[in-house]
Amino acid sequence: MTKLQKALEEYLAVRRTMGFKLHLAGRLLHRFVEFAEKEKASFITTKLALKWATQPKDVQPAQWANRLGMVRNFAKYHSTIDLRTEIPSAELLPYRYRRKPPYIYTDAEISKLISAAKKLPSPRGLRAPTLSTLFGLLAVTGMRMSEPINLDRKDVDLKNGILTIRQTKFDKSRLVPVHSSTINKLRKYARLRDKLCPKAKSPSFFISGRGTRLTDWTVRRWFVILSHQIGFRGTDDSYGPRLHDLRHGFAIKTLLNWYKSGCDVENNMPILTTYLGHGHVTDTYWYISATPELLQLATFRLEKRKKGELRK
């Protein structure tokens, strides 16, 4: 193991003890060290980091900036060990992150997606019920896509209607109560799952036809295939509505319903923040500014409050 490889292992170990998972960053930094060795570099230089960061040609500038940022953080750590280390400036590949406006699925579009998923073929007949139930759960709970595929059977309380989300983003766990109609769907899926695959290889609630835990890549792949089939994306489109937009849609529809029903949104916002597993309530407030209808309702409510038509 080279000195740079050893330093990287130590750096990742330190960051992970602080709660950072660094799944993607870990993989990419290992590739950076391999690249450095091929370049016969024994320490980090700005030129080396920049050359590696800009290797992918057909990507957005944000990806170059992200790759360079990973090396920059590693270089900051390594500079305390090897004084020859150069820390690349953040100004080299300037990029200001801009959150993509969410695509809000209509109820009809969600039903169309679930219906299409129900028709997917598979050797054991498990793919269709697994993906259709998973997509439905994402739509009615606003969970991150990684959360339901990481659910184990012990995490799904079919009696009390509670899902236990463990060690998700920000290294947090939370309880997610769901509607009785959702529990009925989950209960129906569990019975069929156990019938079609009685000897599953994984304790996960949602399983593949092989009885293993679903992967993020597999679910996204089938979503893209279905998106092309049902018209969410054009035949040759590489981009379009995302699976993560179901989470955005849940949050936005919840806020819309609160505003339209006269609910005290300000007081209820922390509840939605907790339910979604956001790190801070400001993350949830972003949905108001991201959606014209929500922003209009929020502005209208504020104007009424100024006029004294609403109680503070």
Side-chain angles (χ1 to χ4, degrees), residues 225-290:
I225 290 173
L226 291 173
S227 293
H228 286 299
Q229 286 181 3
I230 62 182
F232 286 177
R233 302 185 184 195
T235 306
D236 299 321
D237 289 348
S238 299
Y239 299 95
R242 306 163 300 171
L243 195 55
H244 193 69
D245 286 326
L246 290 171
R247 174 174 170 83
H248 294 318
F250 171 83
I252 289 169
K253 288 174 183 176
T254 299
L255 290 170
L256 281 171
N257 289 335
W258 282 354
Y259 274 114
K260 290 177 179 178
S261 65
C263 180
D264 190 331
V265 177
E266 290 80 2
N267 283 338
N268 281 329
M269 191 67 82
I271 298 174
L272 182 58
T273 296
T274 301
Y275 190 88
L276 290 171
H278 280 156
H280 196 276
V281 71
T282 53
D283 295 327
T284 314
Y285 269 112
W286 174 78
Y287 292 111
I288 295 178
S289 61

